[in-house]
Amino acid sequence: MERRSQEMFKDVKYAAIVPLIGGFVLGNAKATGKKPEYLISYSAFAANESHIKNYWKDVPFITLDQLDEISSLEKVDFVSSTCPCAGLSMLNASQKTDSGKARGSDAAQNQWMYDTIRFVLENIGPRVLMGENAPGLYGAIGEGVVDKMKIIANEFGYSLSLVKTDTVFHGIPQARKRTFYFFWDSEFA
């Protein structure tokens, strides 16, 4: 199966934005049989991303907030993202709306999703942008976030779909609910 998968993906190019510790992008590498063309992030996540940078020293790593100018990035077929999910996480119990750490659609942490989505769609234009987030993105707590995501999708001619799942359905003996979002470079998902 692995050889067949690698043959299917031989011409596919991908990248990751905010890979954090690297689980999602490592899964991409296993599925495609190749490393990403480049990784993109922000200095705020440097501590978490030091692991993936050390693992793939030969993969270009672009830190957006340290650039004077954004040069054109190679177009890739897909981009994956693992933005912080504390704004929609059920583990976040903060109610202090003025702290910037409160939970819900208006949480400051959700801005990372909007910024990365906008950056990728505007500057890379992949066939698919896929991201992983907390299960709350799929529920009532995430409605405001999804509404903003739809606006960004429409602005760039993309469609949006969400999938809520649990790791127990995918061969991992741990219950960990997650929501995946997909921006498709087409009118319909």
Side-chain angles (χ1 to χ4, degrees):
M1 175 66 181
E2 193 166 316
R3 185 183 320 146
R4 187 174 133 211
S5 174
Q6 291 175 359
E7 180 63 26
M8 286 177 12
F9 291 110
K10 70 178 182 184
D11 296 325
V12 172
K13 293 182 177 183
Y14 71 96
I17 188 164
V18 188
L20 298 182
I21 198 165
F24 201 168
V25 73
L26 287 169
N28 296 340
K30 185 163 178 62
T32 63
K34 59 172 92 172
K35 296 175 187 176
E37 301 300 310
Y38 49 87
L39 301 170
I40 310 165
S41 197
Y42 301 89
S43 56
F45 307 116
N48 283 331
E49 292 167 342
S50 64
H51 304 291
I52 197 69
K53 285 172 74 173
N54 287 331
Y55 185 69
W56 282 329
K57 292 180 184 198
D58 57 334
V59 174
F61 195 97
I62 302 158
T63 306
L64 292 174
D65 55 324
Q66 293 179 354
L67 298 176
D68 293 330
E69 180 180 310
I70 297 171
S71 57
S72 64
L73 294 168
E74 179 181 359
K75 185 167 173 79
V76 294
D77 296 292
F78 72 89
V79 176
S80 64
S81 178
T82 315
C83 285
C85 58
L88 299 172
S89 173
M90 298 309 285
L91 297 176
N92 179 353
S94 178
Q95 299 297 318
K96 297 179 181 179
T97 56
D98 59 343
S99 72
K101 296 183 179 184
R103 186 177 74 177
S105 284
D106 295 328
Q109 302 95 319
N110 298 332
Q111 190 62 44
W112 290 112
M113 272 194 296
Y114 310 139
D115 290 348
T116 57
I117 292 164
R118 183 171 295 286
F119 178 84
V120 168
L121 300 186
E122 183 175 351
N123 295 286
I124 302 171
R127 293 172 57 197
V128 179
L129 163 61
M130 55 188 171
E132 178 258 350
N133 209 274
L137 180 62
Y138 197 85
I141 192 172
E143 285 178 1
V145 173
V146 173
D147 289 343
K148 289 177 185 174
M149 293 168 85
K150 286 178 184 175
I151 290 168
I152 298 170
N154 289 334
E155 181 181 339
F156 292 98
Y158 279 71
S159 57
L160 173 67
S161 62
L162 300 173
V163 174
K164 183 177 178 183
T165 190
D166 193 317
T167 55
V168 297
F169 301 132
H170 306 284
I172 299 173
Q174 173 195 30
R176 182 168 164 82
K177 292 179 174 76
R178 306 306 296 157
T179 298
F180 290 86
Y181 56 87
F182 300 87
F183 285 82
W184 305 94
D185 184 16
S186 63
E187 183 179 357
F188 301 104

